[in-house]
Amino acid sequence: MNNLFKMAFAAFVFLTANAAFGQMEKTVEVGGAPMYPSKNIVENAVNSADHTTLVAAVKAAGLVETLQTAGPFTVFAPENSAFAKLPAGTVETLLKEENKAQLQAVLTYHVVAGKMGSKEIAAAIKAGNGKATLTTVQGGTITAWMKGKDLYITDANGGQSKVTIADVWQSNGVIHSVDSVVLPKM
């Protein structure tokens, strides 16, 4: 009976510690899955049902290893519905091996070096009198701005994307889920 009590107590301590750790992490649910701040961008993104197209594109572009490094990165992550807004056949064409460089350019255009949460972006927008120009890993720029309390980004072509879920913290950066794909000048 004494051993049974010890096992039950050990199980209780283990479950309590895990629950406490989960609360400390303050997960955000994205695409039906919790996003853990202790995991990297790729480890979390693969669990989001709303980002399966993005994950497939990151794999096809050979960017998985990059997005698993220490970074830090700020990623404006297009949802599946964002890719669906593109002209028919665009995604399929970009996923072809011969278009890998173009796919890499599109994906890295959604990434800014550093870890910028919505508060930091809002501060940059305020400092820029309503707009903040952010340089992407691709080398181009996107413009961040706000409409009321909503955060938007505008690409080099004038295309706009709204941040639908902000501040999804990762061990190597932060993800802001967006409703449209932004495109660099090509």
Side-chain angles (χ1 to χ4, degrees):
M1 189 72 154
N2 195 17
N3 284 339
L4 184 59
F5 175 76
K6 286 179 183 177
M7 289 180 3
F9 182 74
F12 171 76
V13 169
F14 175 76
L15 292 173
T16 304
N18 278 348
F21 182 72
Q23 288 175 345
M24 288 182 348
E25 283 206 89
K26 296 189 182 190
T27 62
V28 175
E29 190 163 303
V30 178
M35 301 289 118
Y36 295 96
S38 61
K39 293 184 177 184
N40 68 46
I41 291 167
V42 174
E43 290 171 327
N44 275 319
V46 297
N47 294 314
S48 170
D50 292 342
H51 293 89
T52 56
T53 305
L54 176 62
V55 169
V58 166
K59 288 177 181 177
L63 295 173
V64 171
E65 284 185 19
T66 301
L67 291 174
Q68 288 179 323
T69 64
F73 303 106
T74 299
V75 179
F76 294 94
E79 301 162 348
N80 293 341
S81 59
F83 285 100
K85 291 179 183 179
L86 295 172
T90 302
V91 173
E92 293 78 11
T93 299
L94 284 172
L95 292 175
K96 292 181 179 176
E97 180 63 32
E98 63 266 23
N99 297 321
K100 187 174 183 177
Q102 187 178 12
L103 178 61
Q104 288 174 335
V106 169
L107 294 176
T108 57
Y109 190 67
H110 289 80
V111 181
V112 174
K115 196 173 196 176
M116 293 187 75
S118 61
K119 288 180 183 175
E120 290 82 11
I121 296 171
I125 292 168
K126 185 175 180 181
N129 294 315
K131 293 184 179 179
T133 301
L134 308 175
T135 301
T136 69
V137 173
Q138 179 267 352
T141 60
I142 54 176
T143 303
W145 54 281
M146 296 189 77
K147 183 177 182 181
K149 292 186 179 197
D150 294 327
L151 176 61
Y152 287 83
I153 55 173
T154 300
D155 66 22
N157 305 295
Q160 297 179 351
S161 186
K162 179 181 177 182
V163 173
T164 57
I165 302 173
D167 300 331
V168 184
W169 300 102
Q170 318 289 303
S171 65
N172 62 342
V174 60
I175 291 176
H176 304 289
S177 196
V178 295
D179 70 353
S180 297
V181 174
V182 291
L183 299 170
K185 290 272 187 203
M186 298 272 220

